[in-house]
Amino acid sequence: MSSAPPGPPCEGFPLSFSSFPQASLSHALSPYGWDDAWAAEFTPYAEQGLVAGRVVRVDRGQCDVMTADGTVRADTAFVTPHDPLRVICTGDWAVLEAHGNPRYVKTYLPRRTAFVRSTSSQRSEGQILAANVDHAIIAVSLAVELDLGRIERFLALAWESGAQPLVVLTKADLVPDPVTLGHLVQDVETTAPGVQVLTVSSMTGEGTDVLAAVVGGGTSVLLGISGAGKSTLANALLGEDVMEVQETRDVDGKGRHTTTTRNLLALPGGGVLIDTPGLRGVGLFDAEAGVGQVFSEIEEYARKCRFHDCVHEAEPGCAVTAAVAGGELPERRLESYRKLLRENQRIVAKTDARLRSELRRDWRLRSAEGRANYAAKRTGRA
């Protein structure tokens, strides 16, 4: 094989990995998260003369991909499997044809992380929101009453994705009393064990420097309902008004969907940000491990229960219910834990025949026990 450096590419054609010096390629794509590990994953495709790039936006079967040669528009027709979790997503590292009109995405590199929620359809399919994310920023507005249950849902999905969650309490300037603000932060910290909680005000700039430092070393995704201040927060991190912002309603603090697609943006101080539309629903999708992480203190108590299969309801020797009775564990936390586990179990059961059978068996056993107890009470033998 010749050791001579490659000649210039043909005029009118973008540069491929093989014709572009690796150092230059890394320099061009490093602001978007390219590293040596991605380069190693891409090596087999480089030998085929294909092009690497990061997906910055997806819509209607096409996507915008940032390559070493700039942003290109590509068709995803070759990557449209029946499994909705394997479609091209914002944050993916795509493998593109070197030229063509239109350009086609051939495949994508294996994902390191993936943020997935369940869809609203009756088929219990998962919807992938962002890929290859290091930090999941959960934006929560202080303009309205905190919904701790919703925060727990977002956290469960974030932990399950493989990303590190971070809760950002936006619009902190609307809570001028430091004591009140401290209580709100404490409530969220109790809800989010092991998760950093930041208070941020895009109006005053409070906390934005800390947040920029946190997200400066990787890829972050902004999550939250409409009106949570995600686009305003994105603009603060970008240092300019890139994302459109609209006013929220005074009645409930909700806003219209100013962001309609998931957009990947390189931050001036380093790092990459994926802004997402407001999420009306945050259904779990096979997130049992994530739920366990959110409620880690309950799982710790559960290890002390008398029975290993304790469901923490009325079993004797249950350390979890004892913790609630003793005031060590808020009852709201236990109810939320049960609710999310049941919801996740239903979602998984719809696609797992064996689990469905086990659930039906457990239901029959519990029903039989209930009937036996009722009969015993009626006959006076209880």
Side-chain angles (χ1 to χ4, degrees):
M1 180 180 294
S2 173
S3 60
C10 297
E11 185 176 352
F13 291 95
L15 300 175
S16 70
F17 187 102
S18 57
S19 64
F20 202 98
Q22 185 165 347
S24 299
L25 179 79
S26 297
H27 176 74
L29 292 181
S30 60
Y32 291 87
W34 186 264
D35 56 29
D36 291 343
W38 288 122
E41 290 278 3
F42 186 69
T43 299
Y45 302 106
E47 296 169 353
Q48 302 174 40
L50 297 173
V51 176
R54 192 153 199 197
V55 178
V56 298
R57 175 178 170 145
V58 179
D59 62 280
R60 299 181 181 180
Q62 293 188 315
C63 61
D64 293 335
V65 183
M66 177 59 67
T67 71
D69 201 42
T71 305
V72 300
R73 188 73 167 164
D75 196 300
T76 62
F78 285 133
V79 196
T80 54
H82 295 298
D83 183 354
L85 298 182
R86 298 184 64 188
V87 299
I88 284 290
C89 175
T90 303
D92 273 327
W93 282 101
V95 178
L96 298 166
E97 292 179 327
H99 53 81
N101 186 19
R103 301 277 289 281
Y104 283 96
V105 177
K106 305 296 288 184
T107 186
Y108 58 85
L109 301 183
R111 293 164 177 157
R112 294 179 182 174
T113 62
F115 193 95
V116 180
R117 68 165 177 173
S118 67
T119 65
S120 57
S121 71
Q122 296 301 311
R123 292 179 294 179
S124 302
E125 293 179 338
Q127 178 190 19
I128 182 165
L129 300 180
N132 302 314
V133 171
D134 302 296
H135 306 283
I137 306 172
I138 302 165
V140 180
S141 173
L142 290 174
V144 294
E145 184 177 355
L146 290 176
D147 187 336
L148 299 179
R150 181 184 287 122
I151 294 174
E152 288 163 343
R153 283 176 170 275
F154 274 113
L155 287 169
L157 293 176
W159 281 122
E160 190 68 31
S161 75
Q164 172 65 46
L166 170 67
V167 178
V168 175
L169 303 179
T170 65
K171 309 180 184 182
D173 54 287
L174 299 180
V175 189
D177 179 25
V179 175
T180 301
L181 183 60
H183 286 315
L184 292 172
V185 171
Q186 186 176 26
D187 286 344
V188 177
E189 287 177 338
T190 301
T191 300
V195 176
Q196 185 176 7
V197 178
L198 294 177
T199 55
V200 170
S201 169
S202 299
M203 294 292 293
T204 66
E206 174 193 346
T208 55
D209 55 340
V210 178
L211 179 58
V214 171
V215 304
T219 297
S220 303
V221 61
L222 262 176
L223 304 161
I225 64 171
S226 58
K230 298 187 302 301
S231 294
T232 303
L233 195 59
N235 287 337
L237 292 171
L238 289 163
E240 55 182 318
D241 292 339
V242 174
M243 309 305 296
E244 183 183 356
V245 177
Q246 295 182 358
E247 295 295 326
T248 58
R249 296 196 298 252
D250 292 334
V251 175
D252 54 12
K254 293 182 179 179
R256 289 179 290 173
H257 293 303
T258 53
T259 301
T260 56
T261 59
R262 289 177 283 279
N263 303 283
L264 186 145
L265 307 159
L267 299 174
V272 177
L273 182 69
I274 299 175
D275 192 20
T276 65
L279 299 175
R280 292 187 179 91
V282 280
L284 302 185
F285 185 80
D286 198 6
E288 183 176 355
V291 173
Q293 187 77 36
V294 176
F295 299 93
S296 56
E297 81 279 28
I298 296 180
E299 304 243 315
E300 187 63 33
Y301 282 120
R303 295 188 182 95
K304 303 174 185 176
C305 290
R306 181 184 301 178
F307 304 109
H308 76 278
D309 57 349
C310 181
V311 294
H312 321 307
E313 292 181 353
E315 296 88 347
C318 176
V320 175
T321 53
V324 172
E328 302 171 46
L329 177 67
E331 187 172 1
R332 188 206 68 80
R333 286 281 284 172
L334 179 56
E335 287 300 318
S336 184
Y337 175 68
R338 289 169 173 162
K339 180 179 179 180
L340 292 184
L341 280 183
R342 286 195 299 267
E343 177 184 326
N344 189 72
Q345 195 173 46
R346 286 196 299 270
I347 291 293
V348 175
K350 288 182 179 180
T351 56
D352 189 326
R354 186 177 66 177
L355 181 57
R356 286 199 302 272
S357 176
E358 291 176 354
L359 288 176
R360 284 196 295 268
R361 183 192 62 196
D362 290 344
W363 181 83
R364 287 195 296 269
L365 288 174
R366 288 179 181 275
S367 296
E369 290 174 359
R371 289 193 298 271
N373 290 336
Y374 178 71
K377 288 179 181 179
R378 292 192 62 182
T379 57
R381 295 198 301 269

